[in-house]
Amino acid sequence: MVPSPVSAKQTPQFPQCIDWVLENQHPDGSWGSHDHHSSLMRDALASTLACVIALKRWNLGEENMEKGINFIMSNWSAISDEKQHSPIGFNIIFPGMITLARKMDLYLPLSQWELEKMFHLRELELKRAFETDSEGAEAYLAFVSEGLDRFPEWEKLRKYQRKNGSILDSPSTTAAALAHHCDGKCLEYLQSLVQKFENAVPSQYPSDTLLRLQIIDLLEGLGISQHFINEIKNILDEVHRQWLKNDEEIKSSMIISAMAFRLLRMNGYEILSGSMDQIDEEYFQNSLDGYLEDSDTILELYKASQIKFPNEWPLKELGIWTRNFLVKELSKHGKDERLKEVDYALRVPSFASLQRLEHRRSIAQLNIDRFQTLKMSHVLRHPNGKEILAFVVEEFNGCQYLYRKELEHLERWVKENRLDQLKLPRQKLTYCYFSAAATLFPYEMSDARISWAKNGVLTTLVDDFFDVVGSREELINLMQLVDQLEEDCEVNCCSEQVKIIYSALHATINEIGAKASAMQGYSILGHIINIWRDLLRSFMKEAEWAAEKAVPTMEQYLANGYVSFALGPIILPALYFIGPVLSPGIIEDPEYSKLYQLVSICGRLLNDMQSFEREDKEGKPNSVSLLVLEGGGSLSVEGAKEELRHLAERNREELLELVLKTEGSTIPRACKDLFWNMSRILHLFYSRSDGFSSPTEMVGAVNSVIHNLI
């Protein structure tokens, strides 16, 4: 539609684009994406009408125009079909094209009723835009200016011109601006797109950075990012450079800023949250996205807000108002299929989601012809999409086969060690293994999963032994035996229960110690034994408090409680099986101790809040009851729980910051991830109840990861 400014005759500025239109009409008479998605017919109608008008403008392709008009009339019902996705500004731009077509004497056999209904919607949308006193409404009118009766003056459009020459990254708006105002930067931008898209230019398309970030997000979501480590690093390195330069492509888009922040930070790039501080509720409301009430942008901002370190208050505020926005959207349009992702994000925050559950969900929802609706719909189709989907499903199901074999091995281990004969309340093998498989999911992590699960089973049984059935004599006997575990001396067990527990501990500690030592190249056994000694001492301290009816201070309780929460034997030995060779002195590193302490305190507090009522009846110390007691009557149970929620949140944020820290860190990221994964497990188990103790709470999750094939 853009005329050449240098030709005396009325000729197109981009004749090669007209040639493309003549050569690329689909057999059904339409233009645009081939094989139209059933819900994208409005996009096809807009693309087709634009091409028909372009041909009419230059008096070319009579037969093409006729076929295009027939397609439009045959699919006109999509205009009023509420199930159709509507490109941004469709109700303004499409009627504007109809008006232009009629002025050009293009015959469209539409009834007066059909025209009046369409133009009524146009007037309503324009009335809302013109009467809304906000910068967002002004930006929207600039964005759809090619559909307005009176094209804006250049001074009104200039402030929306990007450094790349476009108007709001929209080729159609930019082309209209060029036709009306002959701006050189607009021309350069369109020329670059004509070359890039080989003469076919969309009315709008997602930025390259956004597409790359979406690809990384998809690969991570499907659980196959480990196969593309170098490619992902190259992309994120470039995005990081853009971030540091405050590049316009990132700065001008809230959705790109949010995705870049989340993916960069979670992939170990030390970036500050300061650039996100400006995105408050007022900033959003005064933007084009805010005027459009774009839930996709809000969802990405909400996800970014969860990657928060301590004292990043603007991110906390971001999380609050974006969550409120999404809750309102869900209440208004809850049945809309497009809000399924919103519903899930609100129910399961990122810090309470497990990778393998996320992978399964992403695979089940994967659409190899995903689309994004802007001014037109972009099908994000991979040429090998079906092959990729088949590969992902095969890999997931293959891992499940391995998980079931490992679980069978562990079931035999329980029986061989007679652990099933112990009269203890919690036999949690399946849950212990599930937590390993859901986070340590790759094939090669088998030894880490087995170590994690075996120690999880043993810590649960020993905890119950100290807490429920063991006599003082038995507890002291077991502690003495573990203290002598490295020594070659006679084993004297005072009861059959002690014998079963100690025999299982002795065999398992030695087995894991031998494997870990072989992998690391030095003896690990002493470290693993010391972990168990520390745990048993903490169990004994709690048993003594209970026997003496002693009431520890909150400080004493947590100093002992983070050890007695029993994550030490689960996480710490597994570190040796992750891959990196660790220095013998790493267990003395303050960073190592801090990671262990943070995740353990977080877990202890989450567990205490869910188990308070039961433990209060049993007369056992609990952080909730201790906080109420120390409050001297000024703090209610709910008030105490609220304080503990804030403390657990603070510990979680400190943990995340330490896990993602690279400068000055001596512990490999792969090892630090174990602590963060355990935190995610704990938040999932204790989000609504004591899911670990419940026999049914986590059954569905277990089946999804281990048993049910995709």
Side-chain angles (χ1 to χ4, degrees):
M1 292 294 290
V2 181
S4 172
V6 296
S7 174
K9 298 179 180 180
Q10 281 289 300
T11 57
Q13 173 70 54
F14 302 103
Q16 64 272 48
C17 293
I18 298 298
D19 291 339
W20 183 93
V21 169
L22 290 168
E23 295 167 4
N24 287 274
Q25 187 175 28
H26 300 313
D28 63 1
S30 69
W31 281 273
S33 179
H34 190 47
D35 298 329
H36 313 294
H37 191 281
S38 59
S39 62
L40 300 179
M41 191 54 68
R42 289 181 184 176
D43 173 65
L45 291 173
S47 298
T48 301
L49 182 55
C51 289
V52 169
I53 291 173
L55 293 176
K56 179 65 175 178
R57 173 70 175 80
W58 307 112
N59 293 314
L60 296 168
E62 191 72 33
E63 184 179 339
N64 299 81
M65 286 191 282
E66 185 179 346
K67 288 176 64 178
I69 291 171
N70 287 337
F71 173 82
I72 292 169
M73 300 314 302
S74 299
N75 295 280
W76 188 261
S77 60
I79 300 295
S80 57
D81 184 353
E82 294 182 358
K83 294 181 180 180
Q84 288 288 319
H85 286 262
S86 192
I88 296 173
F90 179 82
N91 285 342
I92 293 175
I93 296 172
F94 190 77
M97 287 196 291
I98 292 290
T99 300
L100 179 59
R102 296 173 77 188
K103 287 180 180 178
M104 299 170 72
D105 295 326
L106 264 175
Y107 178 65
L108 296 169
L110 297 169
S111 69
Q112 189 63 28
W113 178 83
E114 289 171 320
L115 290 172
E116 287 178 357
K117 183 177 180 181
M118 182 177 62
F119 280 98
H120 175 66
L121 292 175
R122 182 176 191 267
E123 289 307 311
L124 288 177
E125 190 155 334
L126 284 172
K127 185 173 185 289
R128 174 181 172 247
F130 281 115
E131 292 182 355
T132 302
D133 183 19
S134 75
E135 294 178 20
E138 188 179 331
Y140 176 68
L141 289 170
F143 190 66
V144 299
S145 55
E146 67 266 38
L148 301 180
D149 294 332
R150 178 179 294 180
F151 197 78
E153 295 181 3
W154 179 239
E155 288 306 314
K156 286 191 174 182
L157 286 179
R158 186 195 298 274
K159 68 178 181 179
Y160 300 111
Q161 188 170 40
R162 308 289 195 220
K163 288 180 180 178
N164 61 13
S166 74
I167 306 299
L168 293 168
D169 292 316
S170 170
S172 60
T173 305
T174 307
L178 177 60
H180 285 84
H181 301 301
C182 298
D183 179 71
K185 291 179 68 177
C186 289
L187 177 60
E188 290 176 8
Y189 170 74
L190 293 171
Q191 286 173 333
S192 70
L193 291 191
V194 168
Q195 182 176 4
K196 180 174 183 176
F197 287 95
E198 298 179 345
N199 305 329
V201 180
S203 60
Q204 189 185 10
Y205 68 97
S207 77
D208 289 341
T209 300
L210 178 58
L211 287 174
R212 292 184 184 121
L213 291 172
Q214 288 174 330
I215 288 170
I216 293 173
D217 206 29
L218 178 63
L219 293 175
E220 291 183 351
L222 294 174
I224 57 173
S225 59
Q226 67 271 22
H227 300 297
F228 304 93
I229 293 173
N230 292 332
E231 292 83 354
I232 289 173
K233 184 179 184 305
N234 290 338
I235 292 173
L236 290 179
D237 282 348
E238 176 57 31
V239 174
H240 188 229
R241 285 190 288 270
Q242 289 178 279
W243 183 278
L244 295 177
K245 290 190 300 183
N246 209 17
D247 187 272
E248 186 186 56
E249 189 173 6
I250 293 179
K251 181 182 176 182
S252 64
S253 168
M254 283 183 278
I255 194 168
I256 297 178
S257 294
M259 287 195 76
F261 175 78
R262 173 169 60 87
L263 292 173
L264 286 172
R265 181 169 271 194
M266 288 306 294
N267 280 278
Y269 293 81
E270 293 197 357
I271 58 172
L272 301 176
S273 63
S275 59
M276 300 289 291
D277 291 356
Q278 66 169 337
I279 307 177
D280 57 18
E281 192 166 9
E282 183 179 0
Y283 180 90
F284 176 76
Q285 294 297 345
N286 280 306
S287 69
L288 175 59
D289 290 329
Y291 179 80
L292 296 170
E293 298 182 340
D294 184 6
S295 59
D296 288 339
T297 295
I298 289 289
L299 180 58
E300 282 303 329
L301 290 171
Y302 177 66
K303 289 179 180 179
S305 74
Q306 295 178 32
I307 316 301
K308 174 183 174 296
F309 297 162
N311 301 322
E312 290 185 328
W313 305 116
L315 281 185
K316 187 176 182 69
E317 290 299 316
L318 179 65
I320 292 171
W321 73 259
T322 52
R323 181 178 180 85
N324 290 339
F325 180 99
L326 293 173
V327 168
K328 289 177 182 176
E329 282 294 291
L330 207 57
S331 66
K332 284 192 296 185
H333 313 290
K335 295 181 179 180
D336 193 325
E337 286 291 310
R338 288 167 285 185
L339 290 177
K340 275 187 175 181
E341 184 68 22
V342 169
D343 179 53
Y344 182 78
L346 292 174
R347 288 187 293 104
V348 186
S350 61
F351 55 79
S353 63
L354 305 188
Q355 293 99 308
R356 218 47 178 163
L357 288 172
E358 291 295 304
H359 299 162
R360 184 185 184 101
R361 181 175 172 278
S362 296
I363 294 168
Q365 294 189 347
L366 179 63
N367 183 348
I368 59 174
D369 289 341
R370 298 163 61 236
F371 58 84
Q372 179 175 359
T373 305
L374 300 169
K375 266 190 179 174
M376 63 175 287
S377 302
H378 304 271
V379 179
L380 309 177
R381 180 183 290 125
H382 192 285
N384 299 312
K386 291 182 179 179
E387 289 81 357
I388 290 174
L389 180 58
F391 166 73
V392 171
V393 170
E394 182 180 3
E395 182 167 271
F396 190 95
N397 290 343
C399 282
Q400 281 189 314
Y401 175 79
L402 178 60
Y403 299 159
R404 290 192 294 274
K405 289 296 181 184
E406 289 176 353
L407 187 54
E408 290 171 6
H409 160 75
L410 290 166
E411 289 167 345
R412 289 193 298 272
W413 167 79
V414 166
K415 287 183 168 53
E416 288 167 1
N417 286 276
R418 299 194 295 153
L419 297 176
D420 55 329
Q421 297 177 21
L422 293 171
K423 305 303 181 185
L424 296 171
R426 295 183 299 175
Q427 294 281 347
K428 294 295 179 182
L429 169 61
T430 303
Y431 281 10
C432 291
Y433 180 72
F434 156 74
S435 67
T439 52
L440 301 166
F441 57 87
Y443 286 95
E444 61 272 17
M445 294 289 185
S446 180
D447 286 336
R449 287 192 293 272
I450 296 297
S451 169
W452 182 291
K454 285 184 176 180
N455 280 313
V457 169
L458 291 173
T459 55
T460 304
L461 294 175
V462 175
D463 183 18
D464 286 348
F465 186 64
F466 272 77
D467 207 26
V468 181
V469 301
S471 67
R472 179 169 175 79
E473 179 189 6
E474 288 176 314
L475 304 186
I476 292 172
N477 182 217
L478 182 58
M479 285 188 64
Q480 290 172 341
L481 291 170
V482 173
D483 281 340
Q484 300 168 6
L485 199 147
E486 286 180 285
E487 303 172 13
D488 186 15
C489 58
E490 185 178 350
V491 175
N492 294 310
C493 298
C494 69
S495 71
E496 188 65 17
Q497 288 197 108
V498 170
K499 183 178 181 180
I500 291 173
I501 292 172
Y502 175 72
S503 297
L505 282 173
H506 183 277
T508 305
I509 289 171
N510 277 287
E511 175 201 350
I512 291 173
K515 282 186 177 180
S517 299
M519 289 189 69
Q520 294 293 323
Y522 58 91
S523 178
I524 306 298
L525 183 60
H527 180 216
I528 298 176
I529 293 173
N530 285 333
I531 293 169
W532 273 100
R533 287 170 177 163
D534 290 342
L535 179 61
L536 265 59
R537 290 190 191 102
S538 70
F539 283 163
M540 180 58 83
K541 173 63 72 176
E542 291 184 347
E544 290 170 351
W545 284 339
E548 299 166 6
K549 300 191 183 312
V551 180
T553 66
M554 186 68 167
E555 183 179 356
Q556 290 171 332
Y557 175 78
L558 287 181
N560 187 76
Y562 90 84
V563 180
S564 69
F565 193 63
L567 298 184
I570 300 172
I571 300 176
L572 305 182
L575 295 173
Y576 296 114
F577 297 106
I578 293 301
V581 175
L582 306 176
S583 67
I586 198 168
I587 59 175
E588 307 297 333
D589 193 301
E591 185 181 15
Y592 169 94
S593 301
K594 188 67 173 176
L595 287 162
Y596 170 43
Q597 186 178 44
L598 287 169
V599 69
S600 297
I601 289 178
C602 192
R604 168 56 69 193
L605 297 176
L606 292 171
N607 174 265
D608 280 3
M609 285 185 279
Q610 296 296 349
S611 61
F612 162 70
E613 281 76 12
R614 172 175 54 81
E615 292 185 337
D616 190 49
K617 289 177 183 177
E618 296 171 356
K620 296 176 182 175
N622 178 293
S623 57
V624 177
S625 58
L626 292 176
L627 208 55
V628 170
L629 185 64
E630 290 186 359
S634 64
L635 193 64
S636 66
V637 168
E638 284 308 311
K641 286 185 176 182
E642 186 62 24
E643 283 196 24
L644 294 177
R645 271 190 284 271
H646 289 308
L647 182 56
E649 180 181 338
R650 174 82 186 193
N651 275 267
R652 184 188 72 235
E653 291 171 358
E654 286 186 37
L655 175 65
L656 180 60
E657 183 175 26
L658 196 54
V659 167
L660 300 181
K661 178 183 177 183
T662 55
E663 186 175 349
S665 178
T666 58
I667 300 178
R669 171 65 188 273
C671 294
K672 292 198 288 185
D673 279 342
L674 259 68
F675 296 91
W676 180 242
N677 287 337
M678 177 57 85
S679 174
R680 295 167 75 170
I681 291 165
L682 297 170
H683 279 85
L684 178 67
F685 274 141
Y686 300 117
S687 59
R688 292 186 297 272
S689 63
D690 185 351
F692 185 74
S693 297
S694 168
T696 59
E697 182 79 17
M698 304 305 299
V699 169
V702 169
N703 289 336
S704 292
V705 171
I706 300 174
H707 297 296
N708 296 339
L709 296 175
I710 296 180

